[in-house]
Structures are given as structure tokens and as C-alpha cells.
Amino acid sequence: MSTNQKFIWATGMTKQAPTSLLYLNVAPTQVVRCSLEESGNAIARLGNRPLILGGQHTLATLASSLESVLEQHQLSYECASYSPDCSEKSLAKLSEAVAAHQSDLIIGIGGGKALDTAKILAHQCQLPVVTVPTSAATCAAWTALSNIYSDHGAFLYDVGLDHCPDLLVLDYSLIQTAPQRTLVAGIGDALAKWYEASVSSGSATDTLIIAAVQQARVLRDILFQKSVEALTQPGSQVWREVVDATVLLAGVIGGLGGARCRTVAAHAVHNGLTHIPAAHDSLHGEKVAYGILVQLRLEEMLQGNQLAASARQQLLKFYAELGLPQTLQDLGLGSITLAQLQKAAEIACGENSDIHRLPFKVLPEQLMAAMVSTRILVEGSRKELSLPAVEVEGCLSE
């Protein structure tokens, strides 16, 4: 690396500076894999007046367990909901709660949006943050990144943070109480690491980016080999290994590779779909998993890439085993209008979209074509796939 380069990977941007300095947000300061009840000492080292942040349901069902831990260590706490979303409005309200309580620590407990809110709130208030994931649906507990949404759940932008969480508490017994659907969604989200990083950074020569891409391949292989068995044995060792893959290893890849190893078209499709209200019933990882198929379809259509076609067929079989969505219909979007589909595609192809990390240009109409053909038969294949119809403004299209 030349002496006039400065890589600001914390924000996903590269800038020039007169000195050589590498900022890497690879991992949380500490990761403890223990029960919530055993995490008190680690939490107490970070502050005395925590603000517990989560969704309304999580706070109603789990706050008491965390509160008893904090009381044992004589910590003065308050609880606050991030409702309606990880949005600018919610963050403004929560900043007031931090000031009112004179908080010196933020504890986020819940799913990806709760943890994203906790991380960016701590970032804005310059406070340490603890993340306690209640499902294995994302790697948000690990990363130095938060996604910002509108009050109605539409993705707006992401924010690179100064550092990963100060403490991550991974309680497998807590994760096990979440619906199995959340782990399936986490598998879909984690799989995207390989399919996106291999496209955006597969030819990179930077040592750590090479390492990140290879770790993404290892992550994919772990999920291919262990996911089906893990889902049949909740709480088992193989189940824990898959949880570690979706929550921990997936985060490592973004930490090593920075923005270049995070997202491409699969997440861009997710971001566009969040602007369709009917898509809010599906989980983040479910939309991303569908987005992987769309990305591969784009590579087939616009590059004639037969490896992408083979990968899509492989994923379709894997998705069928796990119950991941393969089509808009599977996401509950079989009856969206053409205008809604076009809006999602235009947002996904916006000027600052991650889709532009693909090595070719994608127009909204091309993306729309890919979005309605994720299960199309690969030319030359003898085994026909069952293609559910997708209704768009009264027309059947797939």
C-alpha cells in the first residue's frame, strides 16, 4: 500500500490522505457465548446506567430477564422501544431518552433492526454498546454498520460506524426460542456473502480482501453441509455451528473486507422490495435470499454466464430443502402491480445502489425481467422445474 493512501473501511469509503493508516472494524471487542444470566460481569464493566433498547415485544418478554442481571450488579437502567423502526425519528426520540437517563451504556436486545438502532444510537452519543441477538437471522450483532429505514420500513441508507460493538452476548438458549424461520432467513442472508463478494471482489489482490472472499466461500460450504441437519436438531452442536456461521462468521467477512465484501445486487433487491408494503411480512434474509437468485439471473441474462445458471439451479434445490423463497410469490408478492415492481426495481438501480458493484450495467427493466424469472429452466436441462405463476396487474408472468 502506498504512503499516500488511507482506507476508511469503517464508512465503506476510500479517501486519500498524506499518511498510511488502515482502519479495520473486524470484530466486537469481546464476544461471550453464555447465558444472559451469566453476562452481568461483562456488561457491568462497560457502564453503570444502561439504556436497554429493543422492540416492544422483546422488551415485554425478555427485559425482565436482563433487568434481573443488571440489578444483581446494582446498575441503574431504563428501557426504551425503537418503534416504529430504525429510523431518524426513532433515533431522535431515543437520544432524548439517553440524555434524560444520563445513560453511559446502550444495550440492544432483539433482532437486526433493534441491534442496528442500538449501535447507531451509541455511535451518535459516543457511548459503548452491547448487542444481545434474540435470533440468528442476521449478523447485525457483530458489525460496525447500521441500516436506516423510514418510519414505514422502507430502506433509506446505511451508516458505517466507528467500531464494532463493545460486547456481543450470544446466548444459544435465547436464540433457540426464536421461530425456526429466523434461522432459515439468517442462512439466506449469510449465503449472500459469497455470491456478492465473489462478484465484487473476486479479482482483488489486497490480502485481507482475498481472505474475506475465501471466508465467504467457507461460510457458504458450512451452510450447504450443515444447515439441513441443524434445522432438524435445534440446540444441538451442529445447530450451534450454523448459528455461529450466521451471527459471527458472516460478520467477520464484512469486517475483513469492508464495504467491498458486503453487498451487491442481492441486497440491492432487498432494499428495493422494502418500498413495497406487502414485502414487510417477509424477513430481511428471506428477501436477500431471493435477491441472490435475481443476481445470478442477471449474470445469466446479461453476461451469458453458465456458471451463474448452474449456481442458481443448485440454490433452488437447497432453498427447497430449507424453505427459503424462490420467487416473488414465495415472498407474498405474487399479486403486486407492475407499478410496484417497477418502483422496487428503480430504487434497486438507483444512483448509489450496491447493484452497481456488478461488473455490468443493469437497467430497471432488465432487473424486473430477472425478478420474475428466478425459477426459469436453464437451457439444455432435462428436468423441468415447477414454476408458480406470478400475477402482475392481472397478467401471469414468470
Side-chain angles (χ1 to χ4, degrees):
M1 184 170 58
S2 63
T3 56
N4 69 336
Q5 286 181 315
K6 180 180 181 181
F7 291 86
I8 311 297
W9 285 0
T11 60
M13 299 174 63
T14 302
K15 297 182 179 180
Q16 296 295 318
T19 59
S20 175
L21 189 58
L22 179 63
Y23 286 95
L24 283 174
N25 290 319
V26 177
T29 304
Q30 185 177 28
V31 177
V32 294
R33 292 187 285 188
C34 67
S35 69
L36 192 57
E37 291 73 21
E38 296 172 311
S39 66
N41 286 331
I43 294 173
R45 285 196 289 267
L46 295 173
N48 298 305
R49 298 182 62 83
L51 179 72
I52 304 172
L53 190 156
Q56 293 176 343
H57 174 74
T58 299
L59 292 177
T61 56
L62 295 174
S64 59
S65 299
L66 183 55
E67 288 167 2
S68 64
V69 173
L70 302 181
E71 288 169 356
Q72 290 173 14
H73 290 80
Q74 299 180 329
L75 305 185
S76 175
Y77 61 85
E78 287 289 342
C79 295
S81 169
Y82 72 92
S83 179
D85 215 299
C86 182
S87 64
E88 294 174 353
K89 181 178 179 180
S90 292
L91 288 167
K93 177 188 67 174
L94 291 167
S95 294
E96 295 176 358
V98 168
H101 182 55
Q102 297 182 318
S103 303
D104 59 2
L105 171 65
I106 307 297
I107 301 175
I109 182 168
K113 287 189 175 181
L115 303 182
D116 274 3
T117 307
K119 290 185 298 182
I120 192 168
L121 178 65
H123 170 81
Q124 292 175 343
C125 298
Q126 293 297 292
L127 297 175
V129 61
V130 178
T131 53
V132 185
T134 56
S135 78
T138 72
C139 61
W142 184 283
T143 61
L145 186 76
S146 288
N147 290 329
I148 304 300
Y149 295 81
S150 73
D151 290 339
H152 302 292
F155 175 85
L156 299 179
Y157 57 91
D158 57 40
V159 179
L161 309 176
D162 289 339
H163 56 81
C164 294
D166 298 271
L167 174 66
L168 190 166
V169 179
L170 183 60
D171 182 346
Y172 292 111
S173 62
L174 182 58
I175 299 288
Q176 194 176 347
T177 65
Q180 182 165 272
R181 177 187 177 190
T182 59
L183 178 55
V184 173
I187 293 167
D189 190 34
L191 278 173
K193 297 292 184 183
W194 165 251
Y195 294 95
E196 293 185 303
S198 62
V199 169
S200 65
S201 305
S203 60
T205 58
D206 310 64
T207 298
L208 293 178
I209 294 178
I210 292 171
V213 173
Q214 292 307 310
Q215 286 299 313
R217 180 181 55 79
V218 170
L219 173 60
R220 179 204 63 184
D221 291 347
I222 289 172
L223 296 174
F224 278 170
Q225 294 164 11
K226 299 184 177 183
S227 293
V228 174
E229 181 182 358
L231 292 172
T232 64
Q233 302 177 34
S236 66
Q237 180 60 35
V238 70
W239 177 88
R240 290 188 177 206
E241 291 166 359
V242 171
V243 170
D244 285 350
T246 63
V247 177
L248 307 182
L249 181 54
V252 172
I253 294 161
L256 281 176
R260 289 173 63 183
C261 285
R262 286 199 184 109
T263 60
V264 188
H267 277 79
V269 169
H270 160 276
N271 296 342
L273 289 176
T274 64
H275 290 259
I276 302 175
H280 296 167
D281 292 333
S282 57
L283 300 177
H284 170 87
E286 292 172 335
K287 289 190 279 286
V288 170
Y290 162 77
I292 298 171
L293 299 177
V294 175
Q295 176 177 309
L296 292 170
R297 185 75 184 112
L298 285 170
E299 294 177 64
E300 292 176 63
M301 291 167 48
L302 303 183
Q303 286 189 309
N305 189 329
Q306 291 306 303
L307 287 177
S310 298
R312 182 170 60 85
Q313 294 302 310
Q314 180 186 35
L315 280 181
L316 287 171
K317 295 176 183 178
F318 184 63
Y319 283 17
E321 291 184 278
L322 269 61
L324 281 168
Q326 303 177 18
T327 65
L328 287 169
Q329 178 97 7
D330 294 340
L331 288 170
L333 301 176
S335 298
I336 61 172
T337 66
L338 183 60
Q340 287 176 308
L341 183 62
Q342 183 172 358
K343 178 181 179 181
E346 288 174 347
I347 291 170
C349 292
E351 181 180 357
N352 297 317
S353 172
D354 294 333
I355 203 169
H356 301 305
R357 292 193 177 112
L358 288 171
F360 49 85
K361 185 176 181 179
V362 179
L363 300 175
E365 56 267 28
Q366 294 170 325
L367 180 57
M368 291 171 67
M371 291 174 73
V372 297
S373 61
T374 49
R375 294 196 68 207
I376 196 169
L377 194 65
V378 174
E379 185 177 355
S381 173
R382 295 183 179 181
K383 184 175 181 181
E384 185 176 356
L385 295 172
S386 174
L387 303 179
V390 177
E391 186 176 351
V392 182
E393 283 198 338
C395 300
L396 296 179
S397 172
E398 175 73 12

